[in-house]
Amino acid sequence: MPPDNLTRLSIAEAGDLLRRRALSPVELTRAYLDRIRRLDPDLLAYITVLPDEALAAATAVEQEIARGQYRGPLHGIPIALKDLVMTRGVRTTCGSRILRDWVPDADATVARRLADAGAILLGKLNMHEFAYGPTGVNPHYGTCRNPWDRHRIAGGSSSGSGVAVAAELAAGALGTDTGGSVRIPAALCGIVGLKPTYGRVSRAGVIPLAWSLDHVGPMTRTVTDAALLLQVLAGRDPADPTTSAVPVPDYRRALQGEVRGLRLGLPKDLFFERVDPEVRIAVQAAARSLEGLGAVVEEIPLPKIHHAGPASFAIIASEAMAYHEPYLRARAEEYGEDVRARLTTGQFVLAHQYLKAQRARQVIRAEVDAALTRVDALLTPTTPVPAPRLDERELTVEGVTEDARWWLIRCTRPINLTGHPALSVPCGLTAAGLPIGLQLVGRLFDEATLLRLGHAFQAVSPARDLRPPLNS
């Protein structure tokens, strides 16, 4: 099979071939490394590539499988990690100058769980500096280019993860999500991105942006692949006291569940206000597709969701400042201008404002919980706009002009505040050939229903086989 055909395989497809020894882990890893060598100098998805280490790991995996020591569907699968996930013996920069040469002496829990499952680490991925921004613009390592249009952003902060998966530079990747940083690049790059429930996946060994809002999640080309990664990542971790002991279901089996009769809510408040017309049309078409599969779609009110923006800002600004204060005192000049400016605003958020934001958070979460007693999931755009140009600082939609960053996080940020799981699935392209994302939001710890809905939709969606127009 030609190398580029190998990288088109989903994780599930490649895993089945590896299990049957119809595909060599070394051959698959070489195919990805070759594609990285050819395409990444232009796309800038990676900060660190590990060719020698990856091939050595692939050789060891091949020998294990030959001995009958098959570990599961990720055994021999080449993946990559956002560069704020600690990796023992491999530098972890957080996309910053400050940590440019930092080499951790331990793995993050999620990195260790993937390694224990037999996944092969290709390298560490580019990102918005310290995860503090939704665009992926990085003055230190270069800004990732969207593989659908190199003049446009990939989204952030998990920009490298979105590009690597979309451009087939990794079979799957991990990102982190504090205000949408898994789902935004997933939507703008035309892939699947899952933000699990807060507490479902360990954050031990993952450099924080805001402790009470951060989530770690998989980014893949199919919903099935996201389920396979989540199966390995999910579960209680003594090293992270925020993780939950709620039992982890069989996510792959859940994909085959019935969609007919599931109720989906369209929250018009905030999510469908001031949306690019092409995005609105694509999301509405996705809702009709799910109706065609037997789901019931109805409009629901969420009036308090409008308070999510100010509450989220106060929490992120305060918690990010608390983590970065020592660096800001000693090495402020090493931050990029935009991140330094955003961090310093945290100095001006007062304690009573932070506490009010946390109280508002509880009210908003209760409203979403109440809505999810009436419906099984919410359905919204992931982002109200497609990928902006690299030089676009403001966007105008339906006569309203706002900072591009504001548009990007508007539909994702509230779900970090509430902690509910959310899945972004590609649902079409604009006339200019830019991906559009559909966001599904579920009940706490009910990722299984989201994956079932996303899998059913992806099976009938015209966007399921779309690939960026790369010159490979």
Side-chain angles (χ1 to χ4, degrees), residues 166-240:
E168 300 169 19
L169 308 181
L174 292 194
T176 61
D177 194 313
T178 308
S181 292
V182 161
R183 291 159 290 156
I184 293 167
L188 301 193
C189 293
I191 64 168
V192 172
L194 174 63
K195 181 193 80 67
T197 306
Y198 185 84
R200 176 57 94 190
V201 174
S202 174
R203 296 167 302 147
V206 178
I207 305 304
L209 173 57
W211 291 279
S212 71
L213 297 171
D214 291 343
H215 303 65
V216 178
M219 300 173 72
T220 57
R221 290 193 289 276
T222 71
V223 175
T224 299
D225 290 353
L228 294 177
L229 281 172
L230 183 62
Q231 196 72 57
V232 168
L233 299 170
R236 181 84 174 100
D237 176 19
D240 178 359

Side-chain angles (χ1 to χ4, degrees), residues 243-317:
T243 51
S244 172
V246 172
V248 177
D250 184 333
Y251 291 118
R252 191 170 195 177
R253 179 175 295 179
L255 298 177
Q256 306 308 319
E258 184 62 58
V259 170
R260 183 170 300 280
L262 289 179
R263 304 188 70 86
L264 304 178
L266 291 179
K268 294 296 184 178
D269 298 287
L270 180 72
F271 296 100
F272 286 90
E273 299 169 356
R274 299 187 300 280
V275 175
D276 181 280
E278 291 185 285
V279 172
R280 187 189 304 275
I281 290 168
V283 172
Q284 289 173 339
R288 290 193 297 272
S289 292
L290 286 165
E291 283 184 307
L293 295 171
V296 179
V297 179
E298 61 181 86
E299 292 187 15
I300 59 167
L302 286 177
K304 295 183 177 66
I305 205 78
H306 286 281
H307 300 294
S312 178
F313 166 77
I315 293 169
I316 291 178

Side-chain angles (χ1 to χ4, degrees), residues 304-353:
K304 295 183 177 66
I305 205 78
H306 286 281
H307 300 294
S312 178
F313 166 77
I315 293 169
I316 291 178
S318 299
E319 295 183 1
M321 181 60 191
Y323 178 82
H324 285 275
E325 186 176 17
Y327 289 135
L328 284 167
R329 284 180 176 172
R331 305 170 67 177
E333 72 284 353
E334 295 183 52
Y335 285 91
E337 183 179 349
D338 77 312
V339 170
R340 182 172 61 246
R342 299 181 80 187
L343 284 170
T344 54
T345 60
Q347 300 175 85
F348 304 104
V349 178
L350 303 178
H352 76 274
Q353 294 170 321

Side-chain angles (χ1 to χ4, degrees), residues 192 223 255 257 259 264 281-293 295 379 423-428 436-440 449-465:
V192 172
V223 175
L255 298 177
V259 170
L264 304 178
I281 290 168
V283 172
Q284 289 173 339
R288 290 193 297 272
S289 292
L290 286 165
E291 283 184 307
L293 295 171
L379 187 155
L423 176 72
S424 181
V425 183
C427 66
I436 298 168
L438 165 72
Q439 178 175 233
L440 297 165
T449 296
L450 295 187
L451 291 165
R452 187 195 332 169
L453 282 163
H455 176 69
F457 171 72
Q458 198 167 42
V460 300
S461 170
R464 66 184 179 276
D465 295 322

Side-chain angles (χ1 to χ4, degrees), residues 15 21 45 60 71 87 90 103 112 164 183 217 226 260 268 277 284 287 326 374 380 439 471:
R21 298 175 62 186
R71 303 190 210 175
T87 41
V90 179
V103 178
R112 187 181 70 251
R183 291 159 290 156
R260 183 170 300 280
K268 294 296 184 178
Q284 289 173 339
R374 291 176 47 192
T380 81
Q439 178 175 233
N471 296 319

